[in-house]
Amino acid sequence: MNKRSKNMKKVNHLRSQKTVAIVDLLDELEEGTGGDFDGFGAWDIKNYQGLKGQLNSYRAQKIAQFLGRNISKQKLSKYSKPKDYAYSLTSKDIAEWLEDNKEGLLRYSDFNMQFMTSIEYVDNET
């Protein structure tokens, strides 16, 4: 395997890990679990419990974009709900929550991405 190919594998691994970090954050919001490590409270993210069960693939994509990432709809399809599902929050409510928690969410997602990208790539083909 040539050097360029090895480097591209490393780059793709880093991109993948960043996506995993954002999907993990979305899972924590959807499940209302409060985050990893010291939890959302330590990052000054408030009222996250209100988002439990409120994500769908569109809302998850908007949150990911708010955090500076675009994630394929295929990876977000797990947030799909039945057609007659009744959301207690509107998209506007979620947008306001994002703005209210912007600083903490950006710090938390940045930390998660740094952690996930620090996991070293292992080339099994050498």
Side-chain angles (χ1 to χ4, degrees):
M1 180 179 301
N2 65 29
K3 189 174 182 177
R4 183 179 185 282
S5 183
K6 284 183 180 182
N7 286 337
M8 285 311 298
K9 281 189 171 196
K10 288 179 184 178
V11 168
N12 288 336
H13 173 74
L14 290 174
R15 286 183 188 149
S16 175
Q17 293 304 99
K18 288 180 179 182
T19 298
V20 168
I22 294 295
V23 171
D24 285 350
L25 184 146
L26 293 169
D27 286 346
E28 293 158 2
L29 291 174
E30 174 66 7
E31 297 164 7
T33 56
D36 289 339
F37 308 105
D38 295 325
F40 286 157
W43 298 91
D44 202 28
I45 300 171
K46 298 173 180 62
N47 303 321
Y48 61 87
Q49 301 92 339
L51 269 70
K52 183 176 182 178
Q54 297 300 303
L55 297 187
N56 57 27
S57 58
Y58 174 80
R59 290 173 172 190
Q61 183 66 266
K62 290 300 178 186
I63 293 170
Q65 288 171 347
F66 181 83
L67 297 172
R69 300 291 302 164
N70 282 316
I71 299 175
S72 72
K73 192 169 184 172
Q74 179 184 8
K75 286 185 173 55
L76 301 176
S77 64
K78 67 181 183 174
Y79 301 112
S80 296
K81 304 282 191 293
K83 192 171 187 171
D84 60 344
Y85 187 83
Y87 295 98
S88 60
L89 295 176
T90 65
S91 292
K92 183 181 177 187
D93 293 334
I94 293 174
E96 288 173 1
W97 180 86
L98 287 170
E99 281 299 325
D100 290 345
N101 291 284
K102 182 177 185 174
E103 188 176 317
L105 283 167
L106 291 173
R107 284 191 339 232
Y108 184 81
S109 68
D110 184 54
F111 174 81
N112 271 357
M113 281 192 257
Q114 286 179 24
F115 175 78
M116 293 302 292
T117 56
S118 70
I119 298 170
E120 190 157 332
Y121 171 74
V122 177
D123 186 2
N124 293 325
E125 295 183 17
T126 55

